[in-house]
Amino acid sequence: MNEQTLLTKFHEIFHKDETNSTRLFFSPGRINLIGEHTDYNGGHVFPCAITYGTYGVARKRNDQLIQLYSLNFEDQGIIQFSLDELDFQKSDGWGNYAKGMIRYLQESTAKLPHGFDLLIEGNIPNGAGLSSSASLEMLVGVIVTEMFDLHSERLDLVKLGQKVENQFIGVNSGIMDQFAIGMGKEDCGILLNCHTLEYEYSPLKLDDYQIIIMNTNKRRELADSKYNERRKECETALERLQQKLSIESLGDLTEEQFEENRHLIGDDILEKRAKHAVYENQRTFKAFKALNNGELNVFGQLMNESHYSLRDDYEVTGTELDALAEAAWEQDGVIGARMTGAGFGGCAIAIVETEKVQAFIEAVGRKYAEQIGYEATFYVASIGDGTKELKLEESR
């Protein structure tokens, strides 16, 4: 939907108001290029913001009301609450992400003088694991900060977004999603230490290549339970290694140190889980170095190795993600492909020569449908900026 149509819809739903100006914002989704299941193991991740995301048209009100409307969930109508009613309400659905952000922003800065109207529309595919909830949190955080001149640092908004997930919504997630979405930079990946929040940008000039997001269209029912199981397995492996080694996390180990001491774990399954955490963290460093040296083919090979490890050592891929990755590897013009996200459904990504993109989508799509029995969906993604205000032609 273009900017003018969004504005027209905003005025249809919330009516004209000549006293307050209307402003337009955009908050991206994210993909993780490499570094999967490393964040809670004291390791590094390498995400980027993408040009799919959530648009928001906002306007201050002259009273204490907040009114929210989503073009993605029109059946829910206008979600309304006041600045004095910022408790979680199941009936408010997606509005709780906005509510939590407003609540924590007020607690950390100052009470807002007025409420606002907000119309949103997202083009992140539902259930794809590209982080639509973090996109919404950062959108609301930036809108409130900009409209009410709160002077909140971007990193503080990122932390508040994670707090909304953890404490307001009740999801035990890390900080990568909000960080990539809030701090994203066009044509750059971000090497992030999830523990210390130290980060570095790396140029990701793809030139004659494109990033293709491949959605399995499988519901990710297993992801949460398996995530908790893998987390526990890694904690147990770490405890056994700590009997001899003075390390705080699996991310502290090099591959060599792990191989010298893996016998301390004493369990084949736990060894495999720990091996993935260690090797994947090191792959993330190697990927960062390869991109800084302009070695896109090396980066692609590291992506492939990441998928092998997630499939064989961490066992979180599943039939659908493996089918996409394996079909992608067979195609001409592909330099690398891997699952991205928690696994057991969601998405895989591939880096594909621009001229071969259409042939790639057709061939992989056909093979996937034959093998799985239903279709995958493909998106050509660009790497964009983090959450920001967009220029609006019409200011009222």
Side-chain angles (χ1 to χ4, degrees):
M1 193 174 281
N2 65 32
E3 173 186 304
Q4 201 53 51
T5 315
L6 276 174
L7 267 177
T8 304
K9 290 292 284 185
F10 182 89
H11 290 135
E12 272 176 28
I13 291 154
F14 297 119
H15 313 299
K16 289 270 189 184
D17 173 1
E18 297 301 330
T19 62
N20 291 306
S21 60
T22 307
R23 297 166 70 171
L24 176 67
F25 297 80
F26 176 73
S27 189
R30 67 96 190 95
I31 52 175
N32 191 22
L33 295 161
I34 197 165
E36 218 65 75
H37 289 280
T38 48
D39 52 348
Y40 53 85
N41 284 308
H44 290 69
V45 291
F46 195 51
C48 61
I50 56 175
T51 47
Y52 290 92
T54 315
Y55 291 88
V57 181
R59 185 182 63 200
K60 282 184 189 175
R61 296 177 59 86
N62 297 319
D63 57 21
Q64 298 288 296
L65 279 183
I66 307 278
Q67 293 198 124
L68 310 171
Y69 189 91
S70 170
L71 293 172
N72 301 91
F73 301 103
E74 293 194 82
D75 57 317
Q76 294 185 23
I78 294 175
I79 296 171
Q80 185 183 86
F81 50 88
S82 86
L83 286 169
D84 298 318
E85 303 170 327
L86 296 176
D87 291 325
F88 181 93
Q89 296 286 344
K90 194 173 180 185
S91 58
D92 285 337
W94 66 270
N96 283 301
Y97 292 97
K99 195 187 276 190
M101 203 69 193
I102 297 161
R103 176 177 172 166
Y104 293 148
L105 254 173
Q106 284 198 135
E107 287 175 3
S108 63
T109 53
K111 182 159 170 42
L112 301 185
H114 306 290
F116 58 92
D117 295 329
L118 170 62
L119 171 82
I120 71 159
E121 184 185 46
N123 59 14
I124 299 173
N126 252 353
L130 304 180
S131 213
S132 53
S133 63
S135 179
L136 176 58
E137 288 153 7
M138 294 309 299
L139 178 75
V140 172
V142 170
I143 286 172
V144 173
T145 299
E146 295 291 324
M147 284 209 308
F148 296 99
D149 299 318
L150 296 184
H151 309 296
S152 286
E153 294 292 329
R154 184 56 64 96
L155 194 53
D156 291 333
L157 290 182
V158 165
K159 290 174 182 174
L160 288 181
Q162 186 195 13
K163 185 178 178 183
V164 171
E165 292 280 356
N166 295 170
Q167 296 181 25
F168 200 79
I169 306 295
V171 175
N172 183 25
S173 54
I175 203 166
M176 175 182 75
D177 295 351
Q178 290 83 2
F179 198 100
I181 288 164
M183 307 290 283
K185 198 169 163 183
E186 187 176 3
D187 292 331
C188 286
I190 312 170
L191 180 71
L192 169 66
N193 180 324
C194 293
H195 181 59
T196 64
L197 299 190
E198 293 173 287
Y199 67 99
E200 282 183 79
Y201 291 105
S202 177
L204 194 52
K205 289 283 187 190
L206 295 174
D207 298 326
D208 303 326
Y209 290 87
Q210 300 271 13
I211 295 174
I212 311 298
I213 299 171
M214 307 177 281
N215 188 355
T216 62
N217 289 324
K218 183 196 179 194
R219 290 182 63 84
R220 294 166 60 241
E221 312 97 340
L222 278 172
D224 290 342
S225 62
K226 291 293 183 184
Y227 172 88
N228 292 332
E229 187 181 293
R230 293 296 177 273
R231 199 165 177 157
K232 183 69 188 139
E233 287 167 341
C234 286
E235 286 166 3
T236 305
L238 175 63
E239 285 165 10
R240 295 183 185 185
L241 288 165
Q242 284 172 328
Q243 291 171 10
K244 179 183 170 188
L245 305 174
S246 85
I247 53 171
E248 286 186 21
S249 69
L250 294 172
D252 292 341
L253 294 171
T254 63
E255 294 112 318
E256 294 76 19
Q257 288 169 327
F258 174 75
E259 292 300 338
E260 284 167 15
N261 295 283
R262 64 186 295 167
H263 64 277
L264 297 169
I265 299 171
D267 179 285
D268 289 348
I269 298 289
L270 297 182
E271 273 186 53
K272 289 200 319 185
R273 306 298 189 246
K275 180 184 177 187
H276 168 76
V278 172
Y279 277 66
E280 182 78 351
N281 189 43
Q282 294 301 317
R283 265 189 291 276
T284 307
F285 291 131
K286 290 172 186 172
F288 179 75
K289 184 179 172 187
L291 286 177
N292 281 333
N293 293 337
E295 297 170 337
L296 202 53
N297 283 315
V298 174
F299 181 76
Q301 185 53 42
L302 290 163
M303 287 175 68
N304 296 344
E305 289 172 12
S306 171
H307 189 91
Y308 304 149
S309 178
L310 288 157
R311 180 189 67 192
D312 302 335
D313 287 331
Y314 222 60
E315 299 182 86
V316 292
T317 55
T319 311
E320 294 81 6
L321 285 166
D322 286 340
L324 282 177
E326 287 159 16
W329 294 330
E330 292 170 4
Q331 306 311 313
D332 207 20
V334 175
I335 64 163
R338 64 182 287 274
M339 64 155 268
T340 184
F344 299 106
C347 289
I349 54 172
I351 297 181
V352 183
E353 204 175 317
T354 304
E355 288 180 2
K356 308 279 176 60
V357 165
Q358 201 48 48
F360 170 89
I361 290 172
E362 287 168 11
V364 174
R366 187 170 55 248
K367 190 149 193 189
Y368 181 81
E370 285 168 6
Q371 191 175 337
I372 302 301
Y374 54 85
E375 293 186 347
T377 313
F378 298 83
Y379 305 87
V380 181
S382 300
I383 298 172
D385 285 325
T387 310
K388 63 182 180 181
E389 183 166 6
L390 303 176
K391 288 208 173 2
L392 192 54
E393 297 302 319
E394 185 214 83
S395 61
R396 294 205 179 275

